[in-house]
Amino acid sequence: PDIRDQLMRTPALHPRAPRDARFASVLVTNGDIDHIAGLLILREKQGFDLLATREIHDVLAANPLFAALDPAHVARRAVALGAPVEIAPGLTAELFPVPGKVPLYMEGETVDTELEGEQTVGVRLSAGGRDVFYIPGCAAMTPALADRPHGAALVLFDGTVWRNDEMPRLGVGAKTGARMGHMAMDGERGSIAAFAGLDVARKVYIHLNNTNPVWRPDSAERRAVEAAGWTVAMDGADYALD
Amino acid sequence: PDIRDQLMRTPALHPRAPRDARFASVLVTNGDIDHIAGLLILREKQGFDLLATREIHDVLAANPLFAALDPAHVARRAVALGAPVEIAPGLTAELFPVPGKVPLYMEGETVDTELEGEQTVGVRLSAGGRDVFYIPGCAAMTPALADRPHGAALVLFDGTVWRNDEMPRLGVGAKTGARMGHMAMDGERGSIAAFAGLDVARKVYIHLNNTNPVWRPDSAERRAVEAAGWTVAMDGADYALD
C-alpha cells in the first residue's frame, strides 16, 4: 500500500472516491491519461473487473506501470463493441464507437481526429428498462451516433470546450477542440445544436476543460447552455432517474 | 491541456503545487508509482529538465504513457551516481545509491529488497555550503550511508512504517516494511537508532504509510519520535535552514 499512499495521503485528493470504496468493475472508455491514471492510485489488492475494448487493453498492457494491478485481484476483460455485458446485477453496459483519436501520448506525425473504432467509445448503461449514455469524448456527431440516445433518461456528454478555438483565443495553447478530439458546445456543428432535436430526458455536460466559460455560473455561456436544456456536472454529482 | 484536467479539476488535488507553478527541473529518485505518477498531471507544454538515473529513465521510457511529456519541452537528463549536477543556480544535487528494490510493478518471482544501484537513490542537495539529504526510501542503514549525512543541516528520511510488521499486525496487508524496501523507525535496526549517533542538525520523517501510528499527534510513537529529535513532515512544509 505504501506506493500509492504518497498520492492518496491528502484526503482531498479523491474526496468522493475514498480508497476504501468497494466496486465490482471499472469500465474504461479511452486510453488517455485522464481516463486511466486513476487506476494507478487504487488500493493494492482490491479486486475488480477491468473492462475495456481490446485496443484499450492493449494500450494498458503496453505500459508496465499497470502491472501494479495485480492479476490475482484484477481481471482484465475485453468488451466487444455492440455486445452488452452485465457489469453489476441488473445493469448492462454496451460500448459503441465514437469519433475520436488515439491517446495524446500515442499520437504520431499525423493524427486522425475523427477515428471511429475501439480507441474512443461511448457507453449505453441499461437497467430497469432505462438507458443512460456516457460519452465523455466525441469529435463529431455522426448520424449513427445521433440515432442512439433516442428515449434516453440521461445523457452525460463531452463538454470540453465551448468554442472550437477557445484555447488559441485565450492564448493558453495552440490546439482547437477538434484537434483534441472534442466537438464544441456552441455553433452549427456543436453539441447543443446536435442534441436539440433528440429525444433525451436529461442532458448533462461532463469533461469540461478549464478554459470553458460555462464553468462560471454567472456567464452568458452558462445561461445559453441551461436555456438549451443542459446542466453542467459537478464532481460527485448523483443523478436519480425519474 | 484537457487530458490532465480531469485529474486536476479539483483544486484540492494538488493544493500546494498549482498547475501554474514554474520550476526548472524535476528530480526523480525512484521509479515506483508514487514517485513518477505526478509527472502525468503536469501542465502540458511546461518546460523543465527531468533528472534521474539512467535506470530510472529506462523505466520511464518503457512506459509510453510518459510520452505525454513532450520532448520539445521536457529534456530527460541522466544523472550518474556520485556526480553532482547543478539543478538551479547555486544549487547542486548529488545522487547516491540507497538499499531498496525495483518498483512494485517490475517485481519478478523473487525480489532483492536491499538492492543497491540506480533503482533507489538518495539526494544530497548543496547550496551556500550547507547540505540537505532527501532519502524517501531506504531498506537498511549501511556504513557507507551512515557516513554521508555528517554535518547535514537537514535530513528528510524514509518514515514509511513504525514497526516492520505493522501491516500484518493490523491485518491490512501481508507485507512487512522490509519486503517493501523500507526500514522501520523503531527497533535496534530502525532509523531512530541508526541516526542517534549521527551529526545531523534536523531530522524529519517523510513518506509515512497510513498505518504508521506516528501520524497521530497524540500517540506514544509520535512522542518517542520527537523525544529522539525527529519531526514529522506535513504536506507543503517549508524548511528554513539556520
Side-chain angles (χ1 to χ4, degrees):
Chain A
D2 66 315
I3 67 162
R4 272 63 166 255
D5 279 349
Q6 284 294 97
L7 286 165
M8 294 303 288
R9 195 152 289 159
T10 308
L13 183 76
H14 228 180
R16 307 187 201 268
R19 287 187 73 185
D20 58 357
R22 292 287 172 262
F23 40 81
S25 55
V26 172
L27 176 59
V28 177
T29 61
N30 187 300
D32 225 327
I33 292 174
D34 57 338
H35 293 263
I36 64 175
L39 294 169
L40 300 175
I41 54 173
L42 295 175
R43 181 177 287 281
E44 272 181 50
K45 312 298 181 197
Q46 172 153 12
F48 59 90
D49 284 349
L50 178 55
L51 308 168
T53 63
R54 170 50 51 204
E55 285 191 25
I56 293 174
H57 275 302
D58 289 346
V59 169
L60 295 173
N63 286 278
L65 206 54
F66 293 97
L69 300 172
D70 185 342
H73 300 277
V74 177
R76 303 192 188 195
R77 292 171 52 195
V79 179
L81 300 178
V85 292
E86 189 167 54
I87 58 172
L91 175 66
T92 62
E94 179 192 348
L95 304 186
F96 51 87
V98 173
K101 65 174 187 62
V102 297
L104 173 69
Y105 57 86
M106 291 171 59
E107 289 186 4
E109 286 299 305
T110 60
V111 181
D112 179 354
T113 57
E114 296 192 17
L115 180 72
E116 284 187 73
E118 291 201 346
Q119 290 286 343
T120 301
V121 300
V123 187
R124 178 201 302 262
L125 294 163
S126 303
R130 276 173 296 199
D131 288 341
V132 170
F133 285 80
Y134 171 71
I135 307 172
C138 182
M141 184 60 81
T142 62
L145 197 55
D147 271 353
R148 291 190 180 276
H150 182 74
L154 171 66
V155 172
L156 303 164
F157 195 79
D158 181 350
T160 307
V161 290
W162 167 254
R163 286 173 61 118
N164 186 48
D165 62 354
E166 178 175 300
M167 280 176 34
R169 283 165 61 99
L170 287 168
V172 297
K175 286 183 182 173
T176 61
R179 174 61 185 81
M180 299 189 293
H182 299 289
M183 62 194 291
M185 296 174 170
D186 192 34
E188 265 176 46
R189 298 173 58 200
S191 53
I192 292 175
F195 275 91
L198 304 186
D199 172 25
V200 171
R202 295 174 69 188
K203 298 176 287 191
V204 177
Y205 277 125
I206 56 174
H207 196 272
L208 278 72
N209 196 34
N210 57 8
T211 54
N212 193 324
V214 166
W215 273 127
R216 296 198 302 270
D218 60 350
S219 65
E221 293 85 354
R222 171 69 73 95
R223 285 195 298 277
V225 157
E226 291 176 348
W230 289 80
T231 55
V232 174
M234 299 206 305
D235 284 345
D238 289 317
Y239 298 96
L241 305 184
D242 300 328
Chain B
D2 67 314
I3 67 161
R4 274 61 167 258
D5 279 350
Q6 285 292 98
L7 287 167
M8 292 303 288
R9 196 152 287 160
T10 307
L13 182 75
H14 228 181
R16 307 188 202 266
R19 285 187 73 186
D20 58 357
R22 292 287 173 264
F23 40 81
S25 56
V26 172
L27 174 60
V28 176
T29 61
N30 186 300
D32 225 328
I33 292 174
D34 56 339
H35 293 263
I36 63 175
L39 294 169
L40 301 174
I41 55 173
L42 295 176
R43 181 177 286 281
E44 271 180 51
K45 311 297 180 199
Q46 172 154 12
F48 59 90
D49 284 348
L50 178 55
L51 307 168
T53 63
R54 170 52 50 206
E55 285 191 26
I56 294 173
H57 275 302
D58 289 346
V59 169
L60 294 173
N63 286 277
L65 205 55
F66 292 96
L69 301 173
D70 185 343
H73 300 276
V74 177
R76 302 193 188 194
R77 291 171 54 195
V79 179
L81 299 179
V85 292
E86 189 167 55
I87 59 173
L91 175 66
T92 62
E94 178 192 347
L95 304 185
F96 51 87
V98 172
K101 64 173 187 64
V102 298
L104 173 68
Y105 57 87
M106 290 170 60
E107 289 186 3
E109 285 299 306
T110 60
V111 181
D112 180 354
T113 58
E114 297 192 17
L115 180 70
E116 283 186 74
E118 291 201 344
Q119 291 287 343
T120 301
V121 299
V123 188
R124 179 203 302 262
L125 294 164
S126 304
R130 275 172 297 199
D131 288 340
V132 171
F133 285 79
Y134 171 72
I135 307 172
C138 181
M141 182 61 80
T142 62
L145 198 55
D147 271 351
R148 291 190 179 276
H150 182 75
L154 172 65
V155 171
L156 304 164
F157 196 79
D158 181 350
T160 308
V161 291
W162 167 254
R163 286 175 59 117
N164 185 48
D165 63 353
E166 177 176 302
M167 281 176 33
R169 282 165 61 99
L170 287 167
V172 297
K175 286 184 182 171
T176 61
R179 174 62 187 79
M180 299 189 293
H182 299 289
M183 61 194 291
M185 294 175 172
D186 192 33
E188 263 175 48
R189 297 175 58 200
S191 52
I192 293 176
F195 276 89
L198 304 186
D199 172 25
V200 172
R202 294 174 69 188
K203 299 175 286 190
V204 177
Y205 278 123
I206 56 174
H207 195 272
L208 278 72
N209 197 33
N210 57 9
T211 54
N212 192 326
V214 166
W215 273 127
R216 297 198 302 270
D218 60 349
S219 65
E221 293 84 356
R222 171 70 72 94
R223 284 194 298 275
V225 158
E226 291 176 349
W230 290 79
T231 55
V232 175
M234 299 207 304
D235 285 345
D238 290 315
Y239 297 96
L241 304 185
D242 298 329

